[in-house]
Amino acid sequence: RNVCEKWKLTRPYFFYVGGWEGRKNVPFLVRAFAKSVRTEVDLVLAGGHDRERAALQQLAAELGCAERVKLLGFVPDADLPALYAGALAFVYPSEYEGFGLQVCEAMAVGCPVLVARATSLPEIAGNGGETFTLDDPTELAGLLCRVADDDAFRSDLSRRAKLRASDFSWDKTAAETVRVYQQLQGAVRT
């Protein structure tokens, strides 16, 4: 069965998956989405907890976009590749991340990536995505409009995401870890 049908996603959408707690900055994303004024596009938020749902629903209602903000809650890992692949872009507004695995997951399927210009996120996205400031949602709103309206820009972001994703793999991580241990072992001997 089609994953988008399963989740009742019938229109183009921007996608976020992760926690909905404060540092994840999901209200900032909702504000930017509302400013983008794209009535034909939805914002799909996966993850989070039911206790955070009411505040996001209230914010979306106050901003006049409640019918276009879809709060999926928990999504099984098996559904995520299709949800990333079907999105206009994956948007990650987090104020703090140690790594940002979702950014890599999105890039791996060629999903255009928009990440906050904060902590490790610009380094993880590299040339594979675009960044935005967390000072004001206007810059992100502009990027959302550009991704929705500019097919060539969106295609270029998809190409860049796939290219950047090739820099990340578990095999490469294991090899780099072994290399560091070997260097440390050599340093201890001398």
Side-chain angles (χ1 to χ4, degrees), residues 24-42:
K24 296 296 189 170
N25 212 17
V26 177
F28 180 89
L29 173 55
V30 175
R31 286 184 186 90
F33 176 73
K35 273 184 168 260
S36 74
V37 193
R38 288 296 176 269
T39 57
E40 72 285 356
V41 177
D42 291 335

Side-chain angles (χ1 to χ4, degrees), residues 19-168:
W20 296 348
E21 68 270 16
R23 76 177 173 90
K24 296 296 189 170
N25 212 17
V26 177
F28 180 89
L29 173 55
V30 175
R31 286 184 186 90
F33 176 73
K35 273 184 168 260
S36 74
V37 193
R38 288 296 176 269
T39 57
E40 72 285 356
V41 177
D42 291 335
L43 174 61
V44 175
L45 306 174
H49 296 285
D50 285 341
R51 66 181 175 271
E52 299 144 339
R53 179 179 298 272
L56 289 173
Q57 287 173 324
Q58 180 179 346
L59 177 61
E62 289 169 5
L63 296 171
C65 61
E67 70 286 347
R68 297 182 298 118
V69 175
K70 313 295 183 195
L71 303 171
L72 303 186
F74 174 78
V75 171
D77 288 344
D79 289 358
L80 288 175
L83 291 173
Y84 285 123
L88 292 170
F90 172 70
V91 188
Y92 212 51
S94 184
E95 295 172 337
Y96 176 77
E97 289 299 321
F99 183 72
L101 185 61
Q102 296 93 324
V103 176
C104 292
E105 292 173 342
M107 291 188 302
V109 299
C111 182
V113 170
L114 308 174
V115 299
R117 209 172 294 128
T119 64
S120 67
L121 296 175
E123 182 181 352
I124 299 306
N127 292 328
E130 293 287 324
T131 64
F132 55 87
T133 182
L134 292 175
D135 297 336
D136 182 322
T138 304
E139 183 181 11
L140 176 54
L143 281 169
L144 295 175
C145 289
R146 187 168 178 205
V147 168
D149 296 341
D150 187 340
D151 292 341
F153 178 62
R154 194 170 57 252
S155 293
D156 183 57
L157 277 176
S158 178
R159 180 193 58 75
R160 289 167 39 198
K162 287 179 193 172
L163 188 61
R164 176 66 175 150
S166 69
D167 291 340
F168 298 97

